[in-house]
Amino acid sequence: QRRVHGTPSECLFFFEMFKVVVLALLFLAVSAKKGDGCACDLEIVIDTSCSIPTAARPKIFRFIKEVLESKFKKVGVIAYDKTVREITDPISNDNQISKIIDALPKSFWCTKDSKPGCCNTRTNEALQAALNVVEDLEAKRKNTCKVILLFTDGKTFPRALKGETKSVADYIHRKHPDWTVIVVGVGNKIDVNELKAIATGDGSDNVILKPDFNSIRGIDICPDLKPPVPDNDPPCHPDDDDGEDDDTKPEK
């Protein structure tokens, strides 16, 4: 039986087309940006340290509720300062999450007068907690993409723990390259290099920098959301974080 072979020029054409398709698929795989994962499972990680002013609290909750209006499947919420607390495990009821947020007491937020003292920003522990939650979720929901959204107005504190934050982030990127980690940083005291190390991608991929709390909006995460009502309040900036307690240093 006679076989039909393509001419050398035809073979070269199909080979070049194959390379184009492969390169296109690779480009799509590595160019995941903010907005690409808005139909995934989502773990929100909120900085509640004592540099968050009272006026910023409703704006942070507004941001979370706007994100919930997107198409995320299951959403969990973690809060962190000196301690890490799971506000809700990943659930699919957006209204229930909003009610949980609305019912949080004032003590949810750390202040410089809080007892016991809570003025730390343990990003390392919060990121580890998010990793644990999302790994458990992935074991049950292998076919759903995963997103971690971390919000902060500063940097890991005490600074001696910065390396631990980077180690957890490196583990996530290495062990779970299909996950997307997005970081929102507010104010002028953030460690941009730390945020870039936490976020998925190179450079500023998946890093959102905002000058104040007024400007953090859900549409920055999910561009398909309807444009929000403008916030015309006076600019709300992070408080001075000099009151944070560096308990990694020995007491005098």
Side-chain angles (χ1 to χ4, degrees):
Q1 186 176 359
R2 183 182 178 186
R3 286 185 176 180
V4 178
H5 298 281
T7 65
S9 60
E10 288 174 334
C11 292
L12 180 62
F13 171 78
F14 285 114
F15 178 69
E16 292 299 324
M17 289 298 295
F18 174 75
K19 286 198 298 184
V20 169
V21 171
V22 170
L23 288 173
L25 291 174
L26 286 173
F27 174 79
L28 290 173
V30 301
S31 62
K33 295 286 197 314
K34 301 172 286 290
D36 291 344
C38 291
C40 300
D41 292 334
L42 172 68
E43 188 69 17
I44 302 175
V45 186
I46 314 169
D47 180 351
T48 57
S49 59
C50 58
S51 54
I52 306 287
T54 302
R57 299 170 186 176
K59 299 183 186 301
I60 294 171
F61 284 161
R62 177 186 65 192
F63 167 69
I64 294 173
K65 290 178 180 179
E66 288 177 354
V67 170
L68 291 176
E69 293 175 6
S70 191
K71 300 176 182 178
F72 288 105
K73 307 298 185 184
K74 284 185 177 289
V75 180
V77 183
I78 288 172
Y80 72 103
D81 37 62
K82 191 172 185 175
T83 61
V84 176
R85 296 93 67 203
E86 186 175 33
I87 306 306
T88 174
D89 59 344
I91 57 178
S92 56
N93 188 326
D94 295 346
N95 290 330
Q96 185 178 347
I97 297 173
S98 294
K99 288 178 181 178
I100 291 171
I101 290 173
D102 290 337
L104 290 170
K106 290 183 179 179
S107 59
F108 169 77
W109 300 95
C110 176
T111 70
K112 293 177 181 178
D113 297 324
S114 297
K115 302 295 182 183
C118 54
C119 282
N120 274 195
T121 308
R122 300 292 181 102
T123 313
N124 56 312
E125 296 180 13
L127 199 56
Q128 181 65 55
L131 166 63
N132 295 341
V133 169
V134 179
E135 281 189 332
D136 288 345
L137 185 62
E138 185 168 64
K140 303 169 187 173
R141 295 167 56 80
K142 295 183 182 297
N143 296 324
T144 306
C145 49
K146 303 292 182 286
V147 175
I148 296 174
L149 170 59
L150 186 141
F151 168 88
T152 183
D153 73 332
K155 49 193 173 288
T156 301
F157 195 90
R159 295 304 284 157
L161 302 175
K162 176 182 176 179
E164 293 186 19
T165 297
K166 187 176 185 303
S167 293
V168 179
D170 287 346
Y171 177 87
I172 292 174
H173 302 324
R174 183 177 67 255
K175 196 74 174 179
H176 302 286
D178 52 333
W179 293 7
T180 301
V181 182
I182 303 171
V183 184
V184 179
V186 178
N188 60 6
K189 294 188 176 181
I190 53 179
D191 181 339
V192 176
N193 288 330
E194 181 178 310
L195 302 192
K196 288 181 179 180
I198 295 172
T200 298
D202 298 323
S204 295
D205 288 354
N206 295 303
V207 176
I208 302 171
L209 302 179
K210 294 292 183 177
D212 50 46
F213 293 99
N214 309 59
S215 56
I216 53 171
R217 308 305 296 259
I219 200 169
D220 293 313
I221 306 301
C222 297
D224 291 338
L225 290 171
K226 63 181 180 181
V229 176
D231 185 332
N232 297 317
D233 292 342
C236 178
H237 301 282
D239 284 341
D240 192 342
D241 60 0
D242 291 342
E244 293 210 31
D245 171 32
D246 188 348
D247 55 6
T248 62
K249 293 182 178 179
E251 293 184 5
K252 295 181 179 180

